[in-house]
Amino acid sequence: MKYSFKDIEEKWQKFWEEKKINEPDLRNAKNPFYNLMMFPYPSAEGLHVGNLYAFTGSDIYGRFKRMQGYDVFEPIGFDAFGIHSENYAIKTKRHPSKLIPQNIANFTRQLKKCGLMFDWSHVVDTTDPKYYKWTQWIFLQLYKAGLVYRKKSPVNWCPECKTVLADEQVIGGKCERHSDTEVEKRELEQWFFKITQYADKLYENLKWIDWSQNTKTAQELWIGKSEGAQIIFSVKGIDEKIVVFTTRPDTLFGATYMVLAPEHPLVPLLTTSDRKREVEDYVQKAIKKDQITRLDVTKEKTGVFTGSYAMNPANNSEIPIWIADYVLWGYGTGAIMAVPAHDSRDYEFAKQFNLPIIEVISKTGKPSEGELELYDGEGILINSGEFNGMNSDIAKRKIVEHLNKKGIAEFKINYRLHDWCISRQRYWGPPIPMVHCDKCGILPVNENDLPVLLPETDNYLPDDSGKSPLARVESWVETTCPKCGSKARKDTDVSDNFLDSAWYFLRYPSVGIDDVPMDKEITRKWLPVDMYIGGNEHAVLHLMYTRFICMALHDLGLIHFEEPFKRFRAHGLIIKDGNKMSKSKGNIVNPDEYIDKYGADTFRMYLMFLGPYQEGGDFRDSGIIGIHRFLEKVNSLSELNFTDETDFDDETNTILHQTIKVVTSDFESLKYNTAIARLMEFLNYIREKNITSKLIIKYFTQLLAPLAPHIAEEFWNKLGYSGSVFNSKLPVYDESKIKISNVNIVIQINGKIKDRIDVPKGLDEKELEKIALENEKVKAAISNKIINKIITVKDKLVNIVVK
RNA sequence: GCCGAAGUGGCGGAACUGGCAGACGCGCUGGACUCAAAAUCCAGUGAAGCUAAAACUUCGUGUGGGUUCGAGUCCCACCUUCGGUACCA
């Protein structure tokens, strides 16, 4: 019989939808399992193979859990606000409010063909006022908790997007959305979320959360916790202090100069009149320099002397104060003590400007001979007064303690992480729910007045003014002060798209309940998420922001957990012809074509067969046919006359139960490629042995179901079972049925294989040895040699070592 | 530069705690079926050597060393690719 995948897939998709097979009872489920995948941005181009790869792998896991008896909730939604959507709308000259619903409809149509176990009754669309009302509400809760503030500071400005960006959205000095647009620094007043207040918790929890290690490492590096000390340096002849941060207080005696970032506020004060011109010149240039050149490590160091000197508190020596752009205003205190002997950057700078280099750490405890080379490791202190001879790790503590008594040093932990700049000067996002009143200042909108609706306007293009297009919609901007009632103005920025996605999964189970963002009881039942699968490109974006938001909501008593995901696994990337799939490379694959040609089951399995799910794979058409043939063979099983046989020979039992065992554990560890290989082997066996037992076919169908849901349902039905195969329980393997009576052991001489023979399982070492020595090939090979020793491994091998 | 992952047939990839390298699939070769082709089925398929054929021998998991009776797997040094990060004091 022909494998008419089209009919089969349509039939079962309809069945699932009509019977609400994939809609668990969220209030009464006994055994909840929340299976989450990263919701897509609904692009106009439609569903991408990358999306489908991510979804399919997650879906297989969800279906697998379901067949283990869980009530699985597997929702989907659309991350439809944001610059990406808006830029596309601008490009194609269609208003985002018209374009996005079309895209969502198209995505929905495509997704419904892919055999995914979505609960379509709980869809989130971030642009729906019923959703973004609560996004704004979360903003207000954080504001009330003191986690939101407004500050004028140098922020990242993308000249292409014409908006500010958070640090996480600047990739290598370029805009996340425009990989060839350099981000500029602009001094603007913006809203920030105090994510740094949670820096330590974000960092520490990484030690126990069950996430892919590479994701955790990325976050660890981004948060960049470093332990050290702050030390105060006084300035000669001026009543000012310079505070520095260092992780190496043990090298204090080797500090031969200081460096301030060009933006440091003390710079004008420290500059002597004779140096003024040079310094101002340098500062001007440095600030103007774009990020890329400034951060280019390979270029020569530049800097300028201020004319002032500081006192090294260790030995009261005078050290010159310099300004250089290798010191960053955004990190630590924006000033350093430079220890050229033991820091590569200081070393380079000192060489360039002929500054003194004093060795204070050496491996031996004695000064190095010959020309002094950079050494940035640990060691023994020299040239350090009373601390000489001390180990650097002890000296780190002692020196700070010593200075602390004088009140000029303290231990300090610094983070690389910066506060999250949340405002965007764009149109397509939730307006920030704040009001500016001349009398009362800046106030939050009353919660009862939410949502602050995004105004309809055709004049939504961003401009270079540093103001959002919303500022141009006068009628919308005008409002009344929530406190005094007089005329006031709405905040005209919208919030970052990553705020929308920071809490979408909190909303899913409560979709349809409109008086609260999250129903308490349902949230307690379903959250935190049991399994989250997604791309690692969000390691320091979405995955960091969402942890912060949950921690904040937790501390506000709004949710009962601080870590949103019990498990997170990053899937690999699909590449084609050695490259990431992208429009610019012209190697985009449209899943529709393949699904039309081979069916969703084939395409799903093919994607999973490419390689280990957590490592990704190389997309090439040629392999699809193999999976399609496999499913055709599966389909042809339906021509069998099934028997009720339930007693099988040892071989069949062994293969059956081993297959169940291995496939089940492969599903659990997301090794879908080997699970598929196992099922292929099993099918080959069934065909070779002409097995017609209904029971065996049933087990096979169940194991196949998570991978190829449509054909599995069809078969389930053909076997005479009613309802959905996904309401059945996966078979559990029985170890006692795995009977191997004979094992194939290897006989080696000096580690080289001479023969392979079948012996009964469980023979002891002596017996194996005897068999090996009686082997004809062995006899021939060792005839006149002396046996040194014999190594036997039970059920595996005998190795005869001869001279 | 630093951090991480990986390098296995013609290709995608298997190989549990060191113990039969190349599972499974693609491709290719030969055969069956066919007027022929496609599809399907059967057999073979790491390389070299030696054979009429088989048997057999040698080599073989990026490179070079090492540990071990035995290394794709462990250790050291290096090379390459991919990903992340980038003057973070």
Side-chain angles (χ1 to χ4, degrees), chain A residues 278-499:
Chain A
E278 215 179 319
V279 169
E280 277 176 2
D281 245 35
Y282 182 79
V283 170
Q284 278 305 313
K285 269 191 214 147
I287 291 175
K288 265 210 187 137
K289 253 190 226 173
D290 57 80
Q291 292 281 291
I292 305 292
T293 20
R294 181 154 172 190
L295 295 182
D296 186 358
V297 196
T298 54
K299 76 159 191 343
E300 272 191 354
K301 297 245 179 313
T302 59
V304 63
F305 176 46
T306 60
S308 291
Y309 292 84
M311 310 292 285
N312 185 333
N315 50 19
N316 283 324
S317 61
E318 288 181 9
I319 56 174
I321 304 170
W322 284 67
I323 294 164
D325 64 5
Y326 82 91
V327 172
L328 308 175
W329 177 231
Y331 183 76
T333 60
I336 61 157
M337 60 177 216
V339 185
H342 306 293
D343 179 280
S344 61
R345 298 147 301 178
D346 298 346
Y347 182 81
E348 207 186 305
F349 191 80
K351 285 271 174 193
Q352 179 123 357
F353 294 98
N354 259 320
L355 291 157
I357 303 175
I358 300 175
E359 184 182 32
V360 291
I361 308 279
S362 84
K363 277 188 205 161
T364 57
K366 288 187 198 122
S368 309
E369 284 170 31
E371 203 193 337
L372 189 59
E373 275 174 37
L374 169 74
Y375 175 65
D376 57 10
E378 303 270 303
I380 298 164
L381 270 71
I382 56 172
N383 295 327
S384 297
E386 57 181 295
F387 301 98
N388 279 340
M390 206 177 267
N391 257 317
S392 45
D393 55 333
I394 297 168
K396 268 181 194 168
R397 208 183 65 235
K398 291 281 181 196
I399 290 181
V400 177
E401 281 169 0
H402 175 75
L403 297 176
N404 186 259
K405 283 183 204 141
K406 300 188 197 164
I408 54 170
E410 59 182 7
F411 294 106
K412 169 92 182 167
I413 294 171
N414 241 319
Y415 298 93
R416 225 190 80 125
L417 183 70
H418 289 162
D419 279 337
W420 176 11
C421 174
I422 197 83
S423 10
R424 296 290 177 275
Q425 291 72 46
R426 294 291 297 235
Y427 170 70
W428 194 235
I432 288 183
M434 300 294 288
V435 172
H436 300 244
C437 170
D438 286 340
K439 284 187 220 155
C440 311
I442 304 172
L443 298 165
V445 170
N446 276 327
E447 282 179 27
N448 294 334
D449 295 336
L450 295 180
V452 178
L453 286 172
L454 185 63
E456 296 268 351
T457 174
D458 288 332
N459 184 10
Y460 63 86
L461 262 61
D463 64 28
D464 213 39
S465 65
K467 281 191 176 173
S468 155
L470 296 185
R472 298 191 295 253
V473 190
E474 254 321 303
S475 58
W476 178 84
V477 175
E478 262 181 43
T479 186
T480 51
C481 172
K483 195 171 167 193
C484 71
S486 55
K487 255 190 160 183
R489 297 174 67 80
K490 287 187 183 120
D491 197 292
T492 55
D493 284 352
V494 299
S495 57
D496 182 3
N497 174 223
F498 280 101
L499 180 59

